[in-house]
Amino acid sequence: MPQLYPPLEAPKRLLFGPGPSPVAPRVYQAMQQNVVGHLDPFFFQVADEIRELLGYVFSTANLRNLAVSGTGSSGMEAAVANFTEPGTKLALLTNGFFADRIGEMARRHGAEVTRLAKSWGEPFDAQEAREFIRRERPQVVALVQAETSTGMYNQAKPVCEAAHEVDALVIADCVTSLGGMPVLVDENGIDIAYSCTQKGLGCPPGLAPMTISPRALERLRARQTPVQSWYLDLELLDTYYSGHKYHHTASATMFYALREGLAMVAEEGRENRWERHRRNHLAFVAGIQAMGLAMHVPEGHRLWTLNTPRVPEGVDDAKVRQYLLERHGLEIAGGFGPLAGKIFRIGLMGYGSTADNVLMLLEALEEALAEQGYQPVASGKAAAETALDRAR
Ligand SMILES: *Cc1c(COP(=O)(O)O)cnc(C)c1O
């Protein structure tokens, strides 16, 4: 009988979009280890190592660090579900898609959402953000530190300071910063931070790392109503990870992956890792600008993990992306919402952020743009090489 379904063989894509990012070989190896039960002492040993490593990677002394079963959005929903109740006032700073997703979740959980909105990719003025929070006096403030829809890094510190003045908790989305840029939970004063496994940490999607401050835990214990989501209830999750009682069957395989991804951050050193991302980002930007393309986000506000050059006049961004995928097996993303057709979103994250990848990407992009009739002003690759040499 012919074999209708031969063993699966996935293509080897070069993942340079906004996530998933390339998975580190050491992470793949960890994922081939034997599955153990979700209550096995070995599972809890791995969970404890994750707790400890998350403290290091988030730069926090918090003891309540955990991985929620689900992608980054499950971390977002856990943050919203546990720290809002019907009627809670949540002040949202939004300048992109993911901040609006927080707002939509909060609305569904019955919170009263008030917004300070900027256009996609426009930075917040610290003074304006402070005044917004002082005026609104919310119980919770939410912001996206690394806005993946635009490529912008939003400063958390002034927001946290103003929030704490009015005794509000701060939720920060650190999905695209963790493992690639300073998140600095304690230094910034973030109360609840969440992230994912498939961006700066070099793992497949599947878990949402989180950290919760002691202040936030006090607030959690003072809730008037039960958390509406049973699955994402942080106190119930603590009876599992700390109390070793069954709550759900967490994926041992994904825990191995995250443990390994975090161990690799610790081995490299978080500061060295940030510096690697910064250096490669700057070289990539030097290349992009040499080619004559403009960056969407102003200098000083850019993510080191995700670059957003503007699509040059007369170029069809979908055709460029299709060319890269078909010719090079290379994935980058386009913009969406108000930025559809206007920007490329090119990730250099985690295991994928290397000098070789910067040069390879620029060369491929140059070729794809030439195919669309765009003649680069100068060689992007040469400019990036100069920048990398200078940084050495
Ligand atoms: C990717 C992303 C998310 C959602 O994560 P998923 O893993 O896709 O659920 C949330 N916030 C930001 C800023 C992101 O970049």
Side-chain angles (χ1 to χ4, degrees):
M1 207 175 95
Q3 209 176 2
L4 283 180
Y5 298 99
L8 195 68
E9 236 178 277
K12 192 168 182 182
R13 301 279 191 240
L14 304 170
L15 298 172
F16 295 101
S21 65
V23 174
R26 182 170 156 185
V27 170
Y28 274 136
Q29 269 166 24
M31 295 180 78
Q32 288 171 15
Q33 304 284 315
N34 299 318
V35 168
V36 298
H38 57 292
L39 298 174
D40 193 287
F42 183 72
F43 175 81
F44 288 122
Q45 186 187 316
V46 173
D48 283 345
E49 286 180 11
I50 288 175
R51 188 202 320 271
E52 190 177 300
L53 284 161
L54 281 179
Y56 175 72
V57 176
F58 273 118
S59 305
T60 180
N62 291 346
L63 298 175
R64 188 69 77 88
N65 311 320
L66 72 157
V68 174
S69 293
T71 65
S73 302
S74 74
M76 187 188 284
E77 192 123 29
V80 169
N82 283 271
F83 296 98
T84 64
E85 297 184 63
T88 299
K89 188 166 183 182
L90 181 141
L92 182 69
L93 286 94
T94 171
N95 55 0
F97 172 82
F98 287 102
D100 288 340
R101 182 180 284 183
I102 299 176
E104 173 59 13
M105 283 185 185
R107 191 185 68 75
R108 290 185 184 205
H109 283 280
E112 181 201 326
V113 180
T114 166
R115 284 159 207 275
L116 179 65
K118 294 277 172 195
S119 62
W120 285 30
E122 188 189 341
F124 291 104
D125 173 70
Q127 190 53 28
E128 192 186 0
R130 279 194 205 98
E131 280 162 15
F132 165 66
I133 292 163
R134 286 179 190 142
R135 183 173 69 242
E136 295 292 341
R137 306 192 68 81
Q139 286 125 314
V140 180
V141 175
L143 85 155
V144 176
Q145 186 181 49
E147 183 49 83
T148 322
S149 60
T150 64
M152 172 161 278
Y153 187 83
N154 289 310
Q155 292 296 340
K157 196 160 195 171
V159 173
C160 294
E161 281 168 1
H164 292 171
E165 272 175 35
V166 302
D167 204 26
L169 295 174
V170 178
I171 296 175
D173 180 315
C174 305
V175 172
T176 303
S177 42
L178 190 72
M181 294 186 77
V183 170
L184 305 180
V185 163
D186 288 1
E187 197 179 311
N188 281 316
I190 296 165
D191 294 292
I192 301 111
Y194 59 84
S195 189
C196 76
T197 43
Q198 79 273 16
K199 298 186 188 180
L201 297 177
C203 303
L207 291 173
M210 286 189 83
T211 185
I212 324 274
S213 73
R215 264 178 96 236
L217 285 177
E218 257 174 55
R219 196 70 65 90
L220 187 59
R221 291 184 188 121
R223 278 182 70 100
Q224 302 296 309
T225 58
V227 175
Q228 283 187 8
S229 167
W230 178 90
Y231 193 68
L232 298 174
D233 183 321
L234 288 171
E235 294 293 61
L236 291 181
L237 287 173
D238 195 49
T239 63
Y240 178 23
Y241 296 128
S242 301
H244 298 186
K245 301 218 164 47
Y246 169 67
H247 175 263
H248 68 284
T249 311
S251 161
T253 307
M254 270 315 299
F255 270 62
Y256 301 161
L258 176 57
R259 186 267 184 204
E260 217 60 15
L262 293 170
M264 287 179 73
V265 180
E267 210 166 272
E268 182 176 3
R270 61 188 174 203
E271 287 82 5
N272 294 336
R273 194 173 172 103
W274 301 335
E275 181 51 27
R276 168 165 64 85
H277 280 79
R278 194 182 73 91
R279 193 173 57 230
N280 292 327
H281 156 73
L282 291 177
F284 185 76
V285 171
I288 284 293
Q289 290 175 336
M291 283 160 67
L293 273 66
M295 295 295 290
H296 177 64
V297 173
E299 196 176 350
H301 300 274
R302 293 174 191 150
L303 295 180
W304 303 340
T305 44
L306 185 80
N307 304 282
T308 49
R310 292 212 176 105
V311 177
E313 201 71 45
V315 169
D316 180 341
D317 86 293
K319 290 212 173 107
V320 171
R321 288 185 281 118
Q322 187 185 354
Y323 179 92
L324 291 172
L325 191 65
E326 283 172 3
R327 295 293 179 90
H328 296 282
L330 197 160
E331 177 184 290
I332 64 165
F336 60 101
L339 297 177
K342 297 199 174 129
I343 59 169
F344 296 114
R345 294 186 302 142
I346 305 176
L348 282 164
M349 301 179 189
Y351 185 69
S353 174
T354 67
D356 283 348
N357 285 339
V358 168
L359 302 178
M360 180 275 292
L361 270 171
L362 286 166
E363 206 172 359
L365 192 61
E366 205 161 307
E367 186 188 304
L369 287 170
E371 196 74 14
Q372 292 303 302
Y374 179 82
Q375 285 314 319
V377 176
S379 160
K381 192 178 165 193
E385 267 169 342
T386 308
L388 287 165
D389 279 344
R390 232 184 273 127
R392 248 172 224 130

